[in-house]
Amino acid sequence: MTNSNPSSKSEAAEVILQGLWKNNPALVQLLGLCPLLGVSNSVVNALGLGLATMLVVMGSNVAVSLIRHQVSDAIRLPVFVMIIASFTTCIELLMQAYTYELYRILGIFIPLIVTNCIILGRADGFAAKNPVHLSALDGFMMGAGFALVLVLLGALRELIGQGTLFAKMNLLFGPIAQNWTITVFANYKQFLFAILPPGAFVFMGLLIAIKNILDQRAAKKKIAISPTFEPGSKRVRTTG
């Protein structure tokens, strides 16, 4: 005998869709743009920061949801910030221990996860009002949505800027990833504009534009296939 809850499934599906597409923190909410644009010059940098952010937002969502009934409104935000700072410190120490070279490259952007508006926004706007399982899912999907945009931006900038993909992945995955580099363009002269911050703004704008175009096409298609009713086609009978 199986016990399924359609309402719970629909809520989970909506949380997934919100995090990955409808309310993507990078493409829709436009939050966390400083680290998004600052370290996305390669896939390994983008993936490292994306995974760190995803773990922090997921962990803080779970912790906030667990204590949501015990924390008063007067101290809610300071408590949330302390929770986020604790998880960020844990991630920072783990990166120092296992991916020290990548940690040095990312630099100040790792401790700055504490101030990322995405994490505090989800803690206060979602986790403080929802049960643990939905809060964990929301944290994971919002973090994954942010990380996906970060990696996509890093891939575009690395490809156009250096002509490679997945270079120096050993900084994150160790010696096993030593030969993961894909050289797309041989003897490619670096295009510095793509690697530098101005290129990040341009590519980010292109990604946002592409999403808006896809959303507009989907909306037009939905309107086109929806049934239309002529005005005055229904007769209403009233009795008094």
Side-chain angles (χ1 to χ4, degrees):
M1 182 177 179
T2 59
N3 185 15
S4 60
N5 190 340
S7 177
S8 179
K9 290 182 178 179
S10 63
E11 286 180 350
E14 181 63 21
V15 167
I16 294 172
L17 191 59
Q18 288 286 333
L20 293 180
W21 188 258
K22 284 186 177 180
N23 202 25
N24 186 285
L27 297 179
V28 179
Q29 300 181 57
L30 300 181
L31 298 175
L33 290 184
C34 180
L36 185 80
L37 301 175
V39 303
S40 60
N41 56 353
S42 68
V43 174
V44 65
N45 292 354
L47 184 59
L49 183 64
L51 291 175
T53 304
M54 183 175 68
L55 291 173
V56 172
V57 68
M58 185 177 176
S60 60
N61 266 21
V62 171
V64 168
S65 180
L66 287 171
I67 64 169
R68 68 186 188 278
H69 298 303
Q70 284 73 41
V71 179
S72 65
D73 291 339
I75 60 171
R76 185 179 77 252
L77 290 180
V79 170
F80 293 173
V81 171
M82 289 184 64
I83 291 172
I84 295 169
S86 299
F87 279 102
T88 302
T89 302
C90 292
I91 295 299
E92 187 176 1
L93 293 174
L94 286 172
M95 291 191 71
Q96 287 182 12
Y98 296 102
T99 59
Y100 183 67
E101 291 185 16
L102 181 60
Y103 169 78
R104 291 188 61 185
I105 293 173
L106 296 178
I108 192 64
F109 291 105
I110 295 298
L112 278 180
I113 291 175
V114 177
T115 62
N116 196 318
C117 298
I118 299 169
I119 303 173
L120 183 58
R122 299 320 296 172
D124 186 47
F126 191 92
K129 304 170 185 176
N130 289 277
V132 174
H133 69 284
L134 282 180
S135 298
L137 181 62
D138 176 79
F140 178 78
M141 299 317 303
M142 284 291 170
F146 179 77
L148 285 173
V149 175
L150 197 59
V151 170
L152 181 58
L153 190 60
L156 288 172
R157 294 179 65 191
E158 181 182 344
L159 176 63
I160 297 176
Q162 304 179 49
T164 62
L165 283 173
F166 308 114
K168 298 182 179 179
M169 292 298 288
N170 58 298
L171 297 178
L172 183 61
F173 296 107
I176 192 174
Q178 190 72 43
N179 299 319
W180 286 9
T181 303
I182 300 175
T183 303
V184 181
F185 305 113
N187 300 321
Y188 184 77
K189 294 183 179 180
Q190 289 190 351
F191 184 44
L192 290 179
F193 178 79
I195 302 174
L196 296 175
F201 280 97
V202 172
F203 287 115
M204 188 64 191
L206 289 174
L207 292 179
I208 295 173
I210 291 171
K211 184 188 182 303
N212 290 338
I213 291 171
L214 293 176
D215 285 342
Q216 290 173 3
R217 289 183 178 179
K220 289 179 180 179
K221 185 177 181 181
K222 186 176 181 180
I223 293 174
I225 63 175
S226 62
T228 56
F229 298 94
E230 296 181 1
S233 60
K234 289 186 177 181
R235 293 183 180 180
V236 180
R237 180 179 179 184
T238 59
T239 58

